[in-house]
Every structure is written in C-alpha cells, then in structure tokens.
Amino acid sequence: HTHTHAHSHTVAVVMGDFINLVGDTDVTSGDTLCLDYVFVDPDALSLPQLLFHAARTGKVLTLSALLQHQPDAEVTQHLITVVTHGGEEAPPLVIAARYGHRNIVEFLLDNYTVDVDQSGTVKVDDIQHEGATALWCAAGGGHFDIVTLLVDRGACVDR
C-alpha cells in the first residue's frame, strides 16, 4: 500500500542481496519527509539513474549512501554520466542546480571532484535548453544561493 505525497520519494539503495530503503530528511528544515516505500528491482535502474533521481529530488542522504562504497574512479565516472529522463539529459550537479537543491550541489562540490562547468539539457517551461551549465540553471531558476556557491567554486560566468 502506497501513500502519495507531493514531494516524497524514497530510493531503494541496492547493496549486495539487501535492499535498504533510505529515508531522507530535508536538511534545511530538519523535517522528515513523508516517505513512499517503493521496492526497486535492482536491475530496473542503473546507479547513474538512481543518482540522477536523488539529485533531482534533493535527497542528499540517499545520494551519499549510493556513492559511499563505490571506488573513486567509478564515482568520478558516475558523476559525469548524463542520464535522460523526461526530456532532460544531465549529470547530477546540473539537475540539482536546475531544481534548486543547494544541499546536493554543495555536497557534490565539497566531497567529490566534479567539474563545476559541466552541462546538460534541461527543460524550463517545457522548452529544452541544451548546453545548460549548473550556473545557468541556478540563475534561470532564481536560485541565487546556488549561483553564489557555484561562482565561489570557480564556475565560468561567461558561458
């Protein structure tokens, strides 16, 4: 039995034979979000797809758990992998900036070697924008805290 809630998603983290349901808290308010418990077929979603969805929905604990036991070289690869979903094609940093998730952007920049100027294709008002950087996405979405963060981390302002 499933409860639907406006902004509640739980990503099943698959490790070995165990499926751990990772709940997540909204770290900005400290409120635990209402969770949908969904069992994911381990073969249904790739790790980059799980990372994409965690980044898109602002689930920093889930993102962290998914990356935790991965070898560094694989993590670097996963964080530049472009995932296609709903007309958008982007790596985690770009999709997090697009949806205003400062917690994800900061987590990725603090903990991993991520190109701050990587780009993807995002949809804004049903129009696809190719070559959109995280900075462009944050500025376009009015997420000025993310803009400041990205510029502080060396994002190119001329693109």
Side-chain angles (χ1 to χ4, degrees), residues 2-5 7-11 21 33-38:
T2 315
H3 299 287
T4 34
H5 194 272
H7 54 259
S8 62
H9 302 279
T10 303
V11 176
L21 286 162
L33 300 178
C34 168
L35 299 174
D36 293 337
Y37 288 95
V38 182

Side-chain angles (χ1 to χ4, degrees), residues 70-147:
Q70 302 296 319
D72 288 350
E74 287 186 30
V75 167
T76 303
Q77 189 58 46
H78 292 320
L79 292 179
I80 60 170
T81 300
V82 170
V83 169
T84 304
H85 174 78
E88 297 183 301
E89 300 175 31
L93 180 74
V94 173
I95 210 69
R98 160 69 185 87
Y99 288 97
H101 298 304
R102 184 200 161 105
N103 57 343
I104 300 282
V105 173
E106 196 162 25
F107 172 78
L108 291 173
L109 294 175
D110 282 352
N111 296 288
Y112 300 99
T113 307
V114 180
D115 175 8
V116 74
D117 291 316
Q118 62 187 178
S119 63
T121 299
V122 296
K123 276 172 86 170
V124 180
D125 299 326
D126 284 331
I127 298 166
Q128 283 187 325
H129 298 272
E130 291 180 21
T133 62
L135 182 62
W136 186 92
C137 290
H143 308 299
F144 298 114
D145 54 337
I146 299 177
V147 169

Side-chain angles (χ1 to χ4, degrees), residues 4 6-7 14 17 22 24 49-50 58 88 91 117 130 134 153 157:
T4 34
H7 54 259
V14 181
D17 296 331
V22 177
D24 222 324
Q49 286 174 313
L50 290 169
E88 297 183 301
D117 291 316
E130 291 180 21
R153 300 300 178 90
V157 293

